[in-house]
Amino acid sequence: MTSSVVLFLMFAALVGTMLTGAPLAFVLGGVAFLFTVSLWGMDALVISVLQTFETMSSESLLAIPLYVLMASILQKSGIIEDLYNAMEKWFSNVVGGLAIGTVIICTIMAAMTGIVGAAVAAMGILSLPSMLKRNYDERLALGTICAGGTLGILIPPSIVTIVYAISAKISIGQMFVAGIVPGIILASLYSVYIWLRAMLNPSLAPKPDMVDEQFTLDQKLASLKSLILPFMIIFGVLGSIYMGIATPTEAAAVGVLGALLSSAVLGRLNFRDISDAGNDTLKVTAMILWITIGAKTFVSVFNATGGADSIIQFVQGLEMSRYAVLGILLLVLIFLGLFLDEIGIILLCVPVFLPIVIALDFDPLWFGVLFMITAQMAYITPPFGYTLFYLKSVLPAHISIAQVYRGVIPFFLLQVFALLLFILFPDVVTWLPEFMIEK
C-alpha cells in the first residue's frame, strides 16, 4: 500500500471509531496499535512503550495536576463565592452590571486557575440565579457565563496552553505571556457587547434604579478585602514566572501553596476538601495523560508512514496564498471542535499543522494564540461544547439546553471577530512576549 492509502485508512478508522462514542484516548491508541501491528509487526509496539515513557517522564506535564489541584482547592474553599459577592456590590448599579461583573470574575478566575469547568460551574451556581432574579434575559445570562468561562483557555495559567506549548515544543512562559493581551481584549469585547445590548434594549437587563438592593460606598470598599488573597495567588504564580524566579511548572506548586494558605487564612482548610480536591485532580490528570499517550502514539505512526511530509508537500503545491492556507487550518480546527475536546485536538493536530505553519513563515507563538481561540469556540459550540454541559448540570429545570445554544451565538461571533482581528494585526499578540524577552 502507498503512504497515501495508509493515511486515508488511518483517518477513516479514526473517524469511524470516534463515531462509536468510545473514549478518545482509547480510540487514538487503538487505531495506532492496529496500524502498527499491521504495517510493521508486533515488535514495532515498542513505539508505544517509548511514547508512554516519554509522557510519564515529562517534567513540563507535571504542571497540569498542580494547576488542577490549585483550582479545585480554590473552588472548595469559597474564595470564588467571596469574589462574586464583591462583584455584585460594585456592579449592581451599572447597566448590565451583573453580566459584566461575571465576565470580570471569570477573567480573575482564569488568571487564578486556568480551568474552564471551575469558572462555568461556579458562575452557574452563583451568578445565574442573581441575574435571573433581577430579570436579566436568560439567553444573555447563559451566553455570558459560557463565554466568560472559556477565558481560562487563553489567560495564563492555562492547562490547554501548557499542552499546546509542550506539543509545539515552544516556551510555556512565552505562551503564557502571549495569551494575556488577547485574553483581556476578548473579556473587554464581551463586556462592551453586554453594555451596548443592555443600553439599546433595556428589556435584556434592569436599569440601575430598578435594582431592589442598593449598596453603600462603605459596603463596597469593605468587599474589596476579598480580592486580596486571589491577587496574591495571581501575583505568586505569574509574578514568579515573569520575574524569572520559577519555571511554569514550579509556579504551579507556588499556586497550590497559595491556595492552601488562602484557605487556611479564611479558616476553611479541612481534610475533606483537600481529599476531594485530590480526587478531582486525579480524575482530570488521568484523562489528559491517557489522551496524551494515545495521541502521541497515533502521531508517531502517522509520521512514520510519511503523513507529515505528504501534507506539507500537498500544501506547498497549492496555488493559494499562505493566509488562505492558514484560514483552511483554522476552519479545520473549528470543525473538529464540534466533536473533539481541545486536548485531543491539540495533540492530534499540532504535530501535523505546526510544520505547515513554520513552512509558511508564520510565528508558532502567534499561531498558538489563534489555536487557543478556536479551542474557546469549541467549548461553546454544539453539539459537544463542554461549557454548555457544565452549565446545563447546574441550570434550573425550566431552562433547556436549546436556550443555552441560542445564548452563546453572539459570543461565538465575538470570538470569530477576535480571531480575524489577531490575524490582521499579529503584533497585538506578539508585542508583549517580544517586550518581555528584550527586558
Side-chain angles (χ1 to χ4, degrees):
M1 288 189 293
T2 65
S3 60
S4 299
V5 173
V6 172
L7 294 176
F8 174 78
L9 291 175
M10 281 188 71
F11 278 99
L14 180 65
V15 173
T17 48
M18 280 195 300
L19 291 175
T20 65
L24 180 61
F26 303 123
V27 167
L28 292 167
V31 172
F33 173 85
L34 176 64
F35 278 85
T36 299
V37 173
S38 301
L39 295 172
W40 301 297
M42 294 292 291
D43 291 342
L45 289 177
V46 69
I47 294 174
S48 301
V49 177
L50 293 174
Q51 292 294 339
T52 302
F53 181 78
E54 180 185 353
T55 301
M56 294 298 100
S57 59
S58 171
E59 183 180 341
S60 298
L61 284 173
L62 184 60
I64 293 175
L66 290 172
Y67 282 123
V68 174
L69 179 60
M70 178 181 70
S72 188
I73 293 171
L74 289 171
Q75 186 174 17
K76 295 179 186 304
S77 67
I79 290 175
I80 294 169
E81 186 174 352
D82 293 341
L83 280 174
Y84 178 76
N85 291 334
M87 177 275 298
E88 189 174 26
K89 288 180 174 65
W90 279 94
F91 288 92
S92 59
N93 292 330
V94 179
V95 176
L98 283 185
I100 294 171
T102 298
V103 173
I104 293 173
I105 294 298
C106 287
T107 305
I108 296 173
M109 287 185 62
M112 281 198 301
T113 67
I115 306 294
V116 172
V120 175
M123 290 299 98
I125 294 170
L126 298 172
S127 176
L128 185 62
S130 294
M131 285 194 277
L132 297 181
K133 179 182 176 183
R134 290 167 172 79
N135 297 317
Y136 274 71
D137 179 74
E138 284 184 358
R139 286 179 292 181
L140 178 65
L142 296 168
T144 298
I145 294 170
C146 287
T150 63
L151 292 170
I153 292 176
L154 194 55
I155 296 175
S158 163
I159 300 298
V160 182
T161 296
I162 293 171
V163 176
Y164 174 86
I166 294 171
S167 301
K169 297 180 180 178
I170 59 179
S171 165
I172 295 175
Q174 283 188 310
M175 271 301 302
F176 276 179
V177 176
I180 294 174
V181 173
I184 293 173
I185 289 174
L186 261 176
S188 301
L189 285 174
Y190 296 159
S191 300
V192 171
Y193 164 77
I194 292 166
W195 183 79
L196 286 175
R197 284 292 308 276
M199 288 290 289
L200 296 173
N201 187 354
S203 65
L204 297 178
K207 294 180 180 179
D209 56 7
M210 296 173 62
V211 176
D212 295 332
E213 191 173 4
Q214 301 293 331
F215 299 98
T216 65
L217 180 60
D218 288 341
Q219 288 176 311
K220 292 180 179 179
L221 292 174
S223 70
L224 292 179
K225 66 181 181 181
S226 63
L227 299 176
I228 296 174
L229 291 175
F231 277 106
M232 287 181 66
I233 295 172
I234 294 170
F235 178 79
V237 174
L238 301 183
S240 61
I241 296 173
Y242 302 147
M243 290 188 294
I245 299 173
T247 65
T249 301
E250 293 165 344
V254 173
V256 173
L257 179 61
L260 289 170
L261 291 176
S262 298
S263 299
V265 168
L266 296 172
R268 301 169 184 169
L269 186 64
N270 58 73
F271 178 78
R272 180 174 180 178
D273 285 347
I274 294 176
S275 177
D276 290 343
N279 287 331
D280 292 345
T281 302
L282 181 62
K283 293 174 185 177
V284 174
T285 304
M287 177 193 70
I288 292 174
L289 291 181
W290 271 113
I291 294 174
T292 302
I293 292 168
K296 282 196 169 189
T297 305
F298 181 89
V299 170
S300 66
V301 177
F302 175 79
N303 289 335
T305 57
D309 293 336
S310 299
I311 290 178
I312 292 174
Q313 291 172 7
F314 173 76
V315 170
Q316 289 176 336
L318 294 175
E319 295 183 0
M320 60 175 61
S321 72
R322 64 185 189 135
Y323 282 98
V325 175
L326 175 68
I328 292 173
L329 296 182
L330 294 175
L331 286 173
V332 169
L333 294 176
I334 294 170
F335 174 75
L336 290 176
L338 299 176
F339 309 102
L340 296 178
D341 68 274
E342 77 291 349
I343 301 295
I345 295 172
I346 289 172
L347 295 171
L348 190 61
C349 294
V350 169
V352 178
F353 285 8
L354 203 62
I356 299 172
V357 170
I358 294 172
L360 295 173
D361 199 29
F362 288 125
D363 185 344
L365 199 65
W366 169 73
F367 180 74
V369 171
L370 303 184
F371 203 120
M372 293 303 108
I373 295 175
T374 65
Q376 286 185 302
M377 294 178 183
Y379 260 90
I380 65 171
T381 47
F384 300 119
Y386 278 98
T387 61
L388 309 178
F389 296 104
Y390 291 149
L391 186 57
K392 176 59 180 173
S393 66
V394 297
L395 284 182
H398 69 278
I399 298 180
S400 67
I401 192 68
Q403 285 286 78
V404 183
Y405 287 164
R406 286 193 286 268
V408 299
I409 292 173
F411 293 92
F412 176 82
L413 296 177
L414 288 173
Q415 291 172 343
V416 173
F417 173 79
L419 187 67
L420 294 174
L421 178 69
F422 300 142
I423 291 173
L424 294 173
F425 303 100
D427 289 345
V428 174
V429 174
T430 58
W431 77 268
L432 186 57
E434 291 172 355
F435 173 77
M436 296 293 290
I437 291 173
E438 289 174 3
K439 294 207 54 166

